[in-house]
Amino acid sequence: MRIAVIGAGPAGLTSAKQAMEYGHDVVLYERHDDVGGIWNPASLGAYEGVRTQTSRECLPYSDFPFPGAEPGEDEFPSVARMHAYLRAYAERFGVLPAVRFGHDVVRVHRPGDQWHVTARHGGREATERFDAVMVANGELWRPKGLPGAPVPSEARGFRLMTAKDYRRPSDLRGRRVLVAGGGVSGADIAAELAGEAASVDWAVRGRALFLPRDCGGIPNDMLFSYIGRVALEELPFTQWLVFLSGLMPEYMRMYRASGLLPEDGFHNAVHVNDRIVPAVHRGDVRPRAALSRLGEGGVAVFEDGGTGRYDTVILCLGYEAPDYGFVDGFRQEDLYEHFFHRDDPTLMVINTPIATDAFGTACPYFEAVAGWALAVLSGKAELPGPLSRAAWCEKHLPARRRYYDCWLESIRIGLAGGMLPDPATHFGDYWRLVSSVVVPANLSPSGTPEARPAPCDALFDLTTLKHRVLAALPLPTRDALLSAGHIGPGDHHGSLTVPPHQRIEPWLPYRQLLGA
């Protein structure tokens, strides 16, 4: 098949690489002059001080480890190091010759039996035909403004910017700054400005769980296994906070004293930031209520009625949905499972779903999504028929905003695409994977998962969790696993004692909506 891939960021690179391994003819369109997406420094997709929220051991593709740390580096790479890694991946697997740099795709449509992709390059447009299209244009490009409250056109005397405009703290030295937005970007920028700006106020709507990259000597993303992440959601939130206090007593003491610590939340839906809690505790950053509106001269009005005057206001309010306007007739509501067009699955979107707050690493997740898409194209995996796909879309889209665990989704998607050990036939390999720390090498379709216990899984009874997963399999399947020696008599018997409401489906469902 001839396949067009749109975007040479982490999603597009693995899409192209895997498609080429299938033997497909691939054209990878990239509007910038280098690979990497937001991790390409020249794209200005990320400010200079950004570091990954995922450790170098957990962030890479399954078959391409991240190189060891250079002198002075820690476990969480910078933009430059992440870009170098993605560039090396593209070189190692021969993706670069397929990339057309400086090509901005302006239209995708299907007038007949093939897709027509039109790209603009050097002021000229050209159209080519393809059998399938994989859209991987990324999601962190269009920052949101203040909904329903635009800045007055006559506003003077202050600078309004978004996280996309912000580059470095020295640019705002000596200025009175308001950072609006309680997510990762807002916390990062507010903490980074402390000590450079004359003052830093931070407008937040609610309290979120911020945890540092290093939690008591353990990288944040290596605390628990996949099944441990599921089990953690069953722990009362107060007990989760008690556990964190034992792991990081000084940090949690500052957190409580700052007034920022949430009383409830999604256990795994953490914001990763090392500096914002200490900065607030020291008084270097002052929390404010959510921003309501901005007026002339940099006067900000907050939702609690308070006001303030600022030289610079930085909006960190999240991002608009990806722009798919170049695809004729495209509707987000038509994406089956968020990735496949319900009427024609040869059009695929390799992005995180809309209306989600995603947590987890990009490379293994996008590798899984692309692998599933290509398995469907090759016939190795099947989707339900058009009516079932349409019914799924009607039920699930448009979605309420929800928490989305990319680690656990990688398991679900990997099972759906036949890329991971099938628990119904190879339960031992499956269990080694899901009960081990979340290292991408274990997700490789060509390897055997290595047992790597997660340091904090001792919070849970893994044997009981194993029986709960087994109990979700049909009894004849469990009998066959026992006969084949994939499980022992104790596990088979233990699965029989699990009540129906305690079963855990092998794809590891997790809580996504508050109260669900």
Side-chain angles (χ1 to χ4, degrees):
M1 298 178 71
R2 194 159 194 256
I3 298 178
V5 179
I6 301 172
L13 290 175
T14 188
S15 296
K17 178 256 190 185
Q18 293 185 66
M20 293 168 68
E21 289 177 338
Y22 269 95
H24 299 307
D25 178 17
V26 176
V27 174
L28 175 52
Y29 293 97
E30 171 52 50
R31 63 191 177 98
H32 294 106
D33 294 330
D34 203 349
V35 301
I38 64 168
W39 298 106
N40 170 15
S43 76
L44 302 182
Y47 42 94
E48 290 182 1
V50 166
R51 292 157 58 214
T52 63
Q53 295 186 60
T54 311
S55 65
R56 67 180 61 247
E57 188 165 5
C58 295
L59 70 80
Y61 300 108
S62 68
D63 55 358
F64 195 66
F66 203 94
E70 294 184 348
E73 279 195 320
D74 62 17
E75 284 296 308
F76 296 83
S78 64
V79 173
R81 288 286 282 157
M82 189 65 189
H83 175 244
Y85 169 77
L86 294 171
R87 179 91 186 177
Y89 176 84
E91 292 172 349
R92 166 65 178 81
F93 293 105
V95 175
L96 288 180
V99 185
R100 296 190 183 171
F101 292 113
H103 282 67
D104 189 13
V105 173
V106 296
R107 189 183 185 194
V108 174
H109 69 298
R110 185 162 187 162
D113 59 356
Q114 284 188 305
W115 291 98
H116 290 210
V117 176
T118 302
R120 183 180 295 124
H121 175 64
R124 302 180 63 181
E125 294 184 0
T127 300
E128 295 189 49
R129 299 182 180 186
F130 297 90
D131 302 301
V133 177
M134 303 177 78
V135 179
N137 59 343
E139 58 176 344
L140 303 179
W141 293 107
R142 301 192 301 163
K144 291 181 178 178
L146 285 172
V151 179
S153 59
E154 70 273 13
R156 294 293 185 270
F158 78 104
R159 181 183 180 190
L160 178 67
M161 54 197 299
T162 69
K164 279 294 185 188
D165 304 312
Y166 173 79
R167 306 313 312 156
R168 62 193 67 84
S170 60
D171 292 342
L172 301 177
R173 183 174 294 133
R175 297 179 70 84
R176 296 169 299 172
V177 180
L178 170 65
V179 179
V184 172
S185 294
D188 267 354
I189 293 172
E192 190 171 84
L193 284 169
E196 289 279 1
S199 64
V200 182
D201 283 5
W202 182 37
V204 296
R205 185 168 300 279
R207 291 180 290 179
L209 184 59
F210 283 92
L211 294 184
R213 288 171 171 83
D214 184 296
C215 294
I218 306 168
N220 182 296
D221 48 18
M222 299 186 74
L223 294 174
F224 300 102
S225 64
Y226 297 95
I227 191 65
R229 295 181 68 82
V230 175
L232 183 62
E233 287 287 353
E234 299 178 353
L235 194 72
F237 196 75
T238 53
Q239 291 186 33
W240 172 221
L241 297 182
V242 168
F243 169 79
L244 291 174
S245 295
L247 193 64
M248 305 175 291
E250 178 60 19
Y251 177 84
M252 293 300 289
R253 183 192 67 78
M254 288 191 294
Y255 209 159
R256 287 189 168 87
S258 74
L260 294 175
L261 187 65
E263 297 177 356
D264 196 9
F266 285 70
H267 301 56
N268 291 307
V270 302
H271 293 332
V272 178
N273 187 280
D274 303 293
R275 296 183 292 178
I276 191 61
V277 169
V280 170
H281 182 258
R282 290 191 306 267
D284 294 338
V285 173
R286 179 174 64 154
R288 301 294 302 263
L291 177 62
S292 177
R293 64 183 185 274
L294 286 171
E296 189 173 344
V299 173
V301 180
F302 301 98
E303 290 192 351
D304 63 357
T307 61
R309 184 181 294 272
Y310 303 93
D311 303 314
T312 302
V313 177
I314 307 175
L315 301 180
C316 302
L317 305 177
Y319 293 85
E320 302 287 353
D323 182 7
Y324 301 124
F326 56 85
V327 183
D328 281 11
F330 183 89
R331 300 189 317 150
Q332 296 273 10
E333 295 87 344
D334 289 335
L335 283 181
Y336 171 72
E337 282 280 358
H338 308 289
F339 310 121
F340 302 91
H341 196 282
R342 72 181 195 180
D343 297 325
D344 187 348
T346 60
L347 174 65
M348 298 150 287
V349 172
I350 317 298
N351 280 340
T352 51
I354 60 168
T356 58
D357 290 322
F359 178 79
T361 192
C363 294
Y365 169 76
F366 288 135
E367 186 177 23
V369 176
W372 186 18
L374 290 161
V376 169
L377 283 182
S378 71
K380 290 185 176 180
E382 292 186 0
L383 298 179
L387 292 179
S388 295
R389 296 197 298 265
W392 187 94
C393 291
E394 294 295 330
K395 179 179 179 181
H396 295 283
L397 302 174
R400 288 175 54 191
R401 190 149 199 92
R402 59 196 173 89
Y403 163 59
Y404 189 79
D405 190 318
C406 290
W407 293 119
L408 297 179
E409 290 294 327
S410 296
I411 298 297
R412 183 184 73 85
I413 291 166
L415 291 173
M419 298 168 289
L420 299 180
D422 184 351
T425 56
H426 294 81
F427 190 86
D429 288 342
Y430 162 84
W431 184 250
R432 275 194 298 275
L433 167 61
V434 300
S435 62
S436 294
V437 73
V438 293
V439 291
N442 272 356
L443 299 174
S444 175
S446 60
T448 299
E450 174 189 357
R452 294 191 58 182
C456 295
D457 270 5
L459 269 177
F460 318 112
D461 184 339
L462 289 183
T463 299
T464 297
L465 291 170
K466 183 179 184 181
H467 295 165
R468 291 173 62 185
V469 174
L470 273 169
L473 299 175
L475 183 57
T477 299
R478 284 177 267 166
D479 292 342
L481 289 170
L482 177 63
S483 297
H486 291 296
I487 62 173
D491 288 331
H492 185 278
H493 175 74
S495 72
L496 299 176
T497 67
V498 176
H501 70 279
Q502 286 288 307
R503 295 170 184 167
I504 300 175
E505 294 293 336
W507 55 270
L508 304 184
Y510 59 97
R511 184 165 60 117
Q512 295 185 332
L513 296 175
L514 192 60

